[in-house]
Amino acid sequence: MRADPAIDGRDIPPSEITTEADYKSFYQLSRRGFLQAAGLAAGLAAGATATASVFATGFKNLSPPIQNLVKNPNFVSAQELTTWNDATSYNNYYEFGLDKDEPQFQAKDFAPFPWNIEIAGECEVKGTFSFAQLIKGIALEERVYRHRCVEAWSMVLPWAGVPLADVLKRFKPTSKAKYVAFTALKDRSRMPGQNYASLDWPYREGLRMDEAMHPLSLLATGLYGRVMPNQNGAPLRLITPWKYGFKGVKGIVKIEFVERQPFTSWNDTAPDEYGFYANVNPKVDHPRWSQASERKLTGSGFSLFRSKRVETLPFNGYARQVAGLYTGMDLRANF
Ligand SMILES: Nc1nc2c(c(=O)[nH]1)N[C@H]1C(S)=C(S)[C@@H](COP(=O)(O)O)O[C@H]1N2
Ligand SMILES: [Mo]
């Protein structure tokens, strides 16, 4: 495959670093779109004084809509989705607080752009690329995926993003590239949670090369047809729906092709509780709780309180697509 002309291997000149304006034009965000989002939020703040409308149910944390998004028909779902409000107010993002309801507030003023991603390691094309350069020319698509946290709760979410494989191939990984290591942003001045040693910052994750190249792996840049909310990992994060949610590193600033299994935050912090593979497996319990079932946070209204317990599926329901990646592997040992 030929290298994309936008990705020429040289470090980008400062003049080409993504600005707020680039990012708006990348998403084809009209000024109207921004104003609509802002207007909605303002209307909500005004509360009961706002005229009853289709929005009267009250969306919070709204980000601007993405105009150029196509639903991938292979990943639509008949399942009830998790509401926007739940998806953006019940989050795991330790950089912005340990409690689920903290990231929505602590990440509120986080301004992701300009955002650059370093590509390094066992690949022919390396360097620093802007967010827009990284995914330029790859169609943004919407995919509904199940999302299962190792803490035994789950959601069903419509992500927007690009296949991870399409991005990785641009950098021409060499035959020595056996794993891909992802590093999140480390910036204590912008991420208040990093003032605490809850994890060895920055947050890091990794995949085996074949897992990274699997068509289910998504580099997500949005949620519900809107630009990725800060608390969900703006501007880009990993989604591997057959694995526990902690593999889905948010706020990625570096992607490195490596020969050996890389450091990964949860596995290296608590290896008895979190595996490197972290494939959803109802038969392997966490030492402190069962993984046989999950609290499913879907539905309208106050779904967080009305969640029902459902059985957990092997590979989170994606066994048909991914079980072949692990043929001959002891899935109990490699939890
Ligand atoms: N950088 C970073 N990425 C992260 C986390 C985190 O604390 N920091 N938490 C992980 C966990 S445990 C889960 S379940 C998902 C939660 O994603 P969501 O808030 O969009 O549901 O993000 C994952 N990615
Ligand atoms: Mo999680």
Side-chain angles (χ1 to χ4, degrees):
M1 192 189 143
R2 269 181 62 240
D4 188 287
I7 310 278
D8 64 4
R10 280 173 295 136
D11 279 11
I12 49 168
S15 60
E16 284 184 23
I17 286 171
T18 320
T19 62
E20 184 80 16
D22 290 340
Y23 138 81
K24 285 180 192 170
S25 67
F26 174 79
Y27 278 122
Q28 299 178 16
L29 297 175
S30 60
R31 189 167 153 69
R32 216 172 102 238
F34 261 97
L35 291 176
Q36 275 167 357
L40 270 179
L44 292 167
T49 60
T51 325
S53 73
V54 58
F55 301 113
T57 45
F59 288 102
K60 52 183 183 177
N61 306 314
L62 269 187
S63 58
I66 300 173
Q67 316 277 328
N68 47 346
L69 190 62
V70 177
K71 284 188 204 308
N72 183 324
N74 298 319
F75 302 106
V76 293
S77 174
Q79 294 181 79
E80 224 180 342
L81 299 181
T82 299
T83 64
W84 166 271
N85 280 359
D86 286 348
T88 61
S89 61
Y90 188 87
N91 300 100
N92 270 334
Y93 202 169
Y94 278 18
E95 287 89 330
F96 294 106
L98 298 184
D99 289 337
K100 301 277 183 291
D101 61 351
E102 284 182 307
Q104 63 179 313
F105 302 114
Q106 293 204 31
K108 210 182 177 80
D109 299 323
F110 180 77
F113 292 94
W115 190 274
N116 297 309
I117 300 97
E118 185 193 341
I119 306 290
E122 302 293 346
C123 56
E124 286 173 32
V125 183
K126 314 174 207 247
T128 300
F129 303 92
S130 71
F131 168 81
Q133 275 183 316
L134 187 80
I135 54 180
K136 193 175 178 172
I138 307 175
L140 281 173
E141 50 181 85
E142 181 172 271
R143 296 184 179 191
V144 176
Y145 277 162
R146 288 181 289 277
H147 173 42
R148 170 56 157 90
C149 177
V150 74
E151 297 163 341
W153 54 264
S154 66
M155 298 187 177
V156 181
L157 294 172
W159 299 106
V162 293
L164 177 62
D166 288 355
V167 174
L168 297 183
K169 280 177 198 156
R170 297 186 147 177
F171 304 104
K172 300 187 164 191
T174 69
S175 59
K176 280 188 172 173
K178 304 285 189 236
Y179 295 86
V180 187
F182 301 87
T183 307
L185 179 66
K186 182 177 178 180
D187 185 345
R188 278 167 73 160
S189 69
R190 298 165 72 199
M191 296 178 140
Q194 289 183 341
N195 292 303
Y196 304 92
S198 45
L199 284 171
D200 179 8
W201 306 111
Y203 194 102
R204 279 158 287 174
E205 258 309 332
L207 296 172
R208 214 171 56 192
M209 198 65 190
D210 56 345
E211 298 178 316
M213 291 296 186
H214 192 278
L216 281 179
S217 296
L218 192 73
L219 209 47
T221 66
L223 179 64
Y224 259 106
R226 291 175 177 272
V227 170
M228 189 69 82
N230 288 339
Q231 59 270 43
N232 296 91
L236 81 166
R237 58 142 345 146
L238 178 66
I239 302 287
T240 46
W242 70 99
K243 294 175 177 288
Y244 291 121
F246 67 83
K247 296 298 286 184
V249 48
K250 300 176 175 182
I252 299 167
V253 293
K254 184 175 179 184
I255 300 177
E256 188 175 5
F257 297 95
V258 295
E259 208 173 346
R260 312 221 170 274
Q261 184 180 309
F263 177 98
T264 56
S265 293
W266 283 108
N267 176 230
D268 283 277
T269 303
D272 300 336
E273 304 194 8
Y274 311 102
F276 171 80
Y277 285 92
N279 293 319
V280 174
N281 190 342
K283 294 208 172 97
V284 178
D285 289 337
H286 184 278
R288 291 183 278 129
W289 58 83
S290 165
Q291 295 292 25
S293 68
E294 65 204 48
R295 212 159 45 82
K296 199 171 183 191
L297 310 176
T298 54
S300 56
F302 299 99
S303 51
L304 290 180
F305 305 103
R306 298 191 303 124
S307 58
K308 21 175 218 272
R309 204 156 260 288
V310 301
E311 263 180 50
T312 291
L313 301 171
F315 297 102
N316 200 24
Y318 299 96
R320 192 173 53 77
Q321 293 95 319
V322 299
L325 293 173
Y326 309 101
T327 311
M329 196 163 152
D330 181 351
L331 292 175
R332 282 177 179 270
N334 295 289
F335 59 95

